[in-house]
């Protein structure tokens, strides 16, 4: 798991993750991810290149969303593959963090 | 082609990560469809993570045995000598669960139970034996 790119899109920071958000993946990116949460922008997490997510990864995203929400900022997820989308739905994370099929839809919602 | 593989790892996350890579390699060699591959990897990681984190009442080294069988449906068997724990009895209402409501380890169990075809548990000779069909 890597943070492949971070792009300042004006109203938000677009963060592209790539790889598996499993136990090892979360360990690899959690420090850098925490640093991104310290900014003053909404975060749009592009999941298009995330091929796997386990509960550790879901907890990392949830914890990030909560931190941002406390400062009136949002975290949104975009472009998950079918398996990742199903996992997000089963855990009901999509009732707490908005999940969009495309980057454009996510940007519009911010 | 061999359809039956046995692995034994210690109760450490490093060994679990190594096993995940080995198993992922096996699934790819066999061209297992991506959804099935996802579910096998999920079950393996979630169930063994819970065992390593919460399964033991001491700080000793323990062994966790993993058997994967590719004859017919993919069958994953996980055996550990932790205290008795049946994940099927873990309480989490699938409909009302939010992450805040999840007990420790509950989200991974809920996710796994929801995505596998079947899961059965038995306690035998002081071992937890979990059999998962994908």
């Amino acid at each position: 798991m890597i943070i492949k790119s971070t792009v300042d899109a004006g109203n938000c920071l677009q963060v592209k993750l790539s790889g598996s958000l499993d136990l090892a993946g979360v360990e690899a990116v959690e420090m850098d991810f925490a640093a991104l949460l310290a900014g003053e922008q909404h975060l749009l997490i592009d999941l298009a290149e995330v091929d796997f997510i386990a509960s550790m990864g879901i907890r990392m995203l949830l914890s990030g969303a909560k931190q941002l929400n406390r400062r009136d900022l949002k975290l949104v997820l975009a472009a998950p593959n079918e398996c990742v989308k199903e996992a997000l739905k089963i855990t009901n994370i999509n009732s707490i963090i908005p999940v969009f099929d495309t980057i454009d839809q996510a940007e519009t919602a911010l | 082609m061999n359809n039956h593989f046995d692995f034994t790892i210690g109760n450490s996350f490093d060994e679990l990560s190594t096993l995940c890579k080995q198993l992922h390699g096996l699934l790819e060699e066999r061209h297992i469809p991506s959804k099935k591959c996802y579910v096998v990897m999920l079950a393996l990681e979630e169930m063994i993570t819970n065992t390593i984190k919460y399964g033991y009442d001491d700080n000793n080294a323990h062994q966790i045995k993993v058997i994967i069988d590719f004859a017919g449906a993919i069958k994953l068997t996980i055996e550990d000598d932790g205290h008795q724990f049946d994940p099927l009895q873990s309480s989490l209402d699938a409909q009302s669960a939010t992450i805040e409501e999840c007990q420790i380890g509950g989200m991974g169990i809920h996710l796994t139970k929801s995505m596998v075809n079947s899961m059965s548990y038995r306690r035998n000779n002081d071992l937890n034996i979990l059999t998962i069909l994908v």
Side-chain angles (χ1 to χ4, degrees):
Chain A
M1 166 57 56
I2 56 166
I3 295 177
K4 195 171 180 184
S5 63
T6 55
V7 177
D8 188 340
N11 68 330
C12 69
L13 194 63
Q14 285 190 12
V15 180
K16 190 175 187 70
L17 299 179
S18 183
S20 292
L21 264 180
D22 54 8
L23 193 66
V26 169
E27 199 176 11
V29 297
E30 63 186 348
M31 297 288 277
D32 290 337
F33 186 70
L36 295 174
L37 297 169
E40 290 304 320
Q41 279 174 299
H42 301 304
L43 280 193
L44 188 164
I45 312 290
D46 177 353
L47 296 175
E49 291 187 16
V50 172
D51 52 22
F52 180 87
I53 192 164
S55 61
M56 290 286 284
I58 293 174
R59 284 184 193 280
M60 182 184 92
L61 297 173
L62 183 79
S63 156
K66 283 181 175 171
Q67 285 184 52
L68 289 179
N69 290 347
R70 280 197 287 272
R71 288 182 285 131
D72 291 327
L73 293 168
K74 289 184 201 162
L75 183 146
V76 297
L77 304 175
N81 74 24
E82 283 306 313
C83 291
V84 171
K85 192 173 167 180
E86 188 177 343
L88 296 173
K89 195 173 170 193
I90 288 169
T91 52
N92 257 352
I93 195 181
N94 54 355
S95 67
I96 302 166
I97 305 178
V99 181
F100 298 94
D101 285 339
T102 67
I103 305 284
D104 283 350
Q105 287 169 350
E107 274 185 324
T108 307
L110 283 169
Chain B
M1 190 184 258
N2 187 11
N3 281 325
H4 183 93
F5 298 85
D6 277 23
F7 303 90
T8 301
I9 62 166
N11 54 325
S12 84
F13 290 119
D14 283 349
E15 291 191 44
L16 173 57
S17 287
T18 305
L19 173 62
C20 285
K21 281 182 201 142
Q22 283 177 306
L23 199 66
H24 194 257
L26 273 181
L27 295 167
E28 284 198 328
E29 269 173 25
R30 284 161 186 274
H31 307 292
I32 303 296
S34 60
K35 173 73 189 289
K36 268 186 190 288
C37 186
Y38 187 100
V39 177
V40 172
M41 296 309 297
L42 182 80
L44 184 80
E45 172 164 330
E46 299 293 359
M47 294 301 108
I48 298 182
T49 296
N50 276 354
T51 300
I52 294 173
K53 275 189 176 172
Y54 313 115
Y56 303 105
D57 303 317
D58 57 41
N59 294 318
N60 300 337
H62 292 267
Q63 289 195 326
I64 300 167
K65 189 172 174 188
V66 176
I67 303 159
I68 186 158
D69 214 314
F70 289 101
I74 300 175
K75 184 165 97 173
L76 188 66
T77 308
I78 303 171
E79 295 182 8
D80 70 73
D81 64 348
H83 57 240
Q84 183 162 356
F85 178 68
D86 177 0
L88 293 164
Q89 301 301 319
S90 122
S91 61
L92 190 64
D93 185 323
Q95 295 310 309
S96 68
T98 68
I99 290 150
E100 275 91 353
E101 290 164 349
C102 286
Q103 300 293 314
I104 290 172
M107 191 197 330
I109 294 170
H110 172 57
L111 193 53
T112 305
K113 280 200 294 200
S114 305
M115 293 183 89
V116 300
N117 282 345
S118 74
M119 191 190 278
S120 62
Y121 169 85
R122 65 194 164 99
R123 180 82 175 172
N124 190 23
N125 289 333
D126 291 333
L127 293 174
N128 294 307
I129 303 169
L130 196 58
T131 305
I132 296 166
L133 292 179
V134 176

